[in-house]
Amino acid sequence: MNMAMPSWFDIIGLSPDSQEDEVGIKQAAENVKALIDQEVKNGIPSNRIILGGFSQGGALSLYTALTTQQKLAGVVALSCWLPLRASFPQGPISGVNKEIAVLQCHGDCDPLVPLMFGSLTVEKLKSMINPANITFRTYSGMMHSSCIEVIFLIYSLLAGYG
C-alpha cells in the first residue's frame, strides 16, 4: 500500500477482491521453498517441517504449503488469509499436501486482517484439503495480535513433533 516496511510481498489492498502482488507472492514462496530444500539437505525430512507465520507470514505459509512438491508436517497460520485463492482449484488439490494439518487462529476484533478473511480462508481450505486436518479457532476480543492461549495451543500441538 505504498508504505515502506519489511514484508514478504506487497499488499495492494485489504479487501477480498483487492488486486494481489502475484509475482511477489510467488517469489516469496520460492524463497521459502529454497529454505525447505536447505533443511532437507541438512538432514531434516520435509515431513517433519511445519511452516508458520503471523499475518503475511501465515498467508505465505499457507500458499507455500499448498504449492510445494515437498510433503510437509503442517502449517500454523495466525491472523492471515490465503493469497491468490482464486488460482486454486474449486475442489481437492492433487498435491503431496492434500492431507496436511493446518492450525488457523484469528481474533474476532482484528481491524487489519478482519475475521472474514480467516473465515473465507478456512472454507476454501476445507474444499482443498482433508477438512478433518483443519483446526480453526477464533479468539474473542483479540485484535491483530496473538495471545497466551494461542501460544499454548501451538506448543501443545508441536509437543508431538519433538
Side-chain angles (χ1 to χ4, degrees):
M1 296 193 301
N2 294 323
M3 294 183 284
M5 64 178 65
S7 65
W8 286 102
F9 51 87
D10 192 22
I11 297 177
I12 298 166
L14 287 172
S15 68
D17 58 349
S18 289
Q19 181 183 350
E20 295 182 271
D21 177 16
E22 182 174 356
V23 171
I25 292 165
K26 289 181 175 180
Q27 181 57 58
E30 290 304 314
N31 293 342
V32 174
K33 291 173 190 178
L35 293 171
I36 295 167
D37 289 341
Q38 187 59 51
E39 292 303 315
V40 170
K41 287 178 188 166
N42 290 336
I44 298 173
S46 68
N47 66 352
R48 304 262 311 146
I49 296 173
I50 297 172
L51 299 182
F54 175 84
S55 196
Q56 255 193 346
L60 182 59
S61 294
L62 286 171
Y63 182 83
T64 303
L66 296 171
T67 59
T68 187
Q69 298 306 306
Q70 297 274 18
K71 183 166 179 54
L72 301 173
V75 177
V76 175
L78 307 178
S79 298
C80 67
W81 68 99
L82 177 61
L84 304 176
R85 74 179 184 284
S87 69
F88 288 99
Q90 291 300 319
I93 62 170
S94 60
V96 295
N97 288 314
K98 61 186 174 193
E99 295 291 327
I100 195 167
V102 175
L103 170 62
Q104 186 183 350
C105 300
H106 215 111
D108 66 355
C109 293
D110 189 333
L112 191 58
V113 181
L115 178 58
M116 173 187 61
F117 283 75
S119 299
L120 289 171
T121 293
V122 76
E123 290 311 311
K124 181 69 173 177
L125 289 174
K126 285 179 181 179
S127 75
M128 296 171 57
I129 62 176
N130 185 344
N133 295 340
I134 300 170
T135 301
F136 181 59
R137 300 270 172 92
T138 59
Y139 293 85
S140 179
M142 190 170 80
M143 298 185 70
H144 194 64
S145 62
S146 190
C147 64
I148 195 69
E149 292 85 3
V150 172
I151 302 304
F152 282 141
L153 177 60
I154 294 167
Y155 177 77
S156 68
L157 293 173
L158 293 180
Y161 288 94

